Amino acid sequence: MSNTNHEIDYHIYGEEMQYVEIELDPQEAVVAEAGSFMMMDTDIKMDTIFGDGSNQDNSVLGKIFSAGKRILTGESLFMTAFLNVGQSKKEVSFASPYPGKILPIDLSEKQGKFICQKDAFLCAAKGVSIGIEFSKRLGRGLFGGEGFIMQKLEGDGMAFVHAGGTLARKELGPGEILKVDTGCIVGFTKDIDYDIEFVGGIKNTVFGGEGLFFASLRGPGTVYIQSLPFSRLAGRVWAAAPKGGGKDKGEGSILGGIGDLLDGDNRF
């Protein structure tokens, strides 16, 4: 099988707010969501493409079908390709969308396929195919909660995904099962079997807070888990935000205006 992927060198910088710097040889390219771009050297050309760039040499119909796969995951119809048109090595960087870790995925070491949360994808070497992972069971997607329609990355090149908070890696043996909050899944290898299960018990139903369903992942394979899914972070921020133009009574309420000065809110 011929290698159609672009082999890229990279370096990940930072601790809590990371970015990945990718070194491109002449005529090498990466594809990314437009919102993840951070900075680039001169001689790197940006171009909007259908889908993921894996079939740009195919027919127009093929390009549109690739774009259609991305529509199903709720992402943009287009992606941005960053191509080095110069005569020497150039660098382009992509930033994490919120605090967490960037996870490099070498698909050649993952049997050519990796399944990830639909909003985890950051960027990849041009030629990595990005599409939807269709579920075998009706329960998935309907009851999966936030973001449990999965993306699949296929090929033999490098891809980069983002995990919120702290990243955990779990190695599951054959038949070994791990139960995870659906939003906390970053991704897993191709042989992991996954399904959605109802959280039983009236206490869970009434007071659970995180939803009534969780993911059941069965080995063999590797599972990557994030401690801070963006949906959970956004929910906490929204819950703490002042409503109706008023001030959150949790901020400086004991000391009043003096408390506002102490906690950094010095607006009058």
Side-chain angles (χ1 to χ4, degrees):
M1 187 177 72
S2 63
N3 187 336
T4 59
N5 299 79
H6 288 204
E7 297 179 1
I8 55 177
D9 299 315
Y10 69 93
H11 194 284
I12 295 174
Y13 293 92
E15 296 297 332
E16 285 76 27
M17 287 296 293
Q18 295 187 326
Y19 71 93
V20 57
E21 181 183 77
I22 296 175
E23 184 180 82
L24 298 178
D25 291 329
Q27 298 307 307
E28 276 188 340
V30 293
V31 292
E33 300 287 359
S36 63
F37 168 71
M38 179 178 170
M39 60 182 173
M40 65 182 179
D41 291 339
T42 187
D43 288 336
I44 291 183
K45 178 185 177 184
M46 297 174 61
D47 193 15
T48 300
I49 59 174
F50 273 118
D52 51 32
S54 61
N55 57 2
Q56 292 301 294
D57 295 328
N58 294 350
S59 66
V60 173
L61 184 62
K63 297 177 186 178
I64 293 176
F65 176 72
S66 176
K69 291 190 296 183
R70 291 191 52 77
I71 291 175
L72 291 174
T73 66
E75 302 293 338
S76 169
L77 174 64
F78 301 102
M79 294 191 72
T80 304
F82 298 80
L83 173 68
N84 181 3
V85 297
Q87 303 299 314
S88 60
K89 294 178 182 290
K90 300 295 179 180
E91 293 170 341
V92 58
S93 298
F94 303 95
S96 300
Y98 55 96
K101 298 293 182 183
I102 295 175
L103 175 66
I105 301 292
D106 187 343
L107 291 175
S108 66
E109 298 177 355
K110 306 292 185 187
Q111 297 178 300
K113 182 178 179 180
F114 185 79
I115 301 161
C116 66
Q117 188 81 266
K118 66 181 179 65
D119 58 355
F121 174 75
L122 194 64
C123 59
K126 187 176 178 182
V128 173
S129 175
I130 306 158
I132 188 171
E133 174 68 6
F134 289 98
S135 298
K136 299 176 183 176
R137 300 181 182 89
L138 187 60
R140 304 175 189 162
L142 291 179
F143 304 111
E146 175 64 28
F148 205 69
I149 296 175
M150 308 297 282
Q151 277 189 334
K152 61 180 177 181
L153 308 176
E154 294 179 298
D156 57 6
M158 289 296 302
F160 299 88
V161 298
H162 177 261
T166 300
L167 177 67
R169 171 178 172 151
K170 297 288 186 181
E171 295 286 349
L172 301 183
E176 187 176 359
I177 296 176
L178 183 67
K179 298 180 179 181
V180 186
D181 180 274
T182 55
C184 290
I185 296 174
V186 176
F188 45 83
T189 51
K190 63 187 294 289
D191 291 330
I192 291 286
D193 182 61
Y194 66 102
D195 199 6
I196 296 296
E197 291 188 12
F198 179 70
V199 180
I202 187 67
K203 290 183 179 179
N204 298 91
T205 303
V206 177
F207 305 112
E210 293 301 328
L212 307 181
F213 301 88
F214 58 79
S216 180
L217 306 176
R218 181 190 300 268
T222 305
V223 179
Y224 296 91
I225 303 158
Q226 58 186 349
S227 68
L228 184 63
F230 180 73
S231 58
R232 189 176 296 180
L233 172 64
R236 299 291 170 84
V237 171
W238 173 253
K243 302 298 190 296
K247 179 174 171 54
D248 184 351
K249 61 184 179 180
E251 290 186 7
S253 58
I254 297 177
L255 298 177
I258 298 176
D260 291 344
L261 290 175
L262 294 177
D263 67 18
D265 186 355
N266 56 2
R267 292 169 294 173
F268 294 97

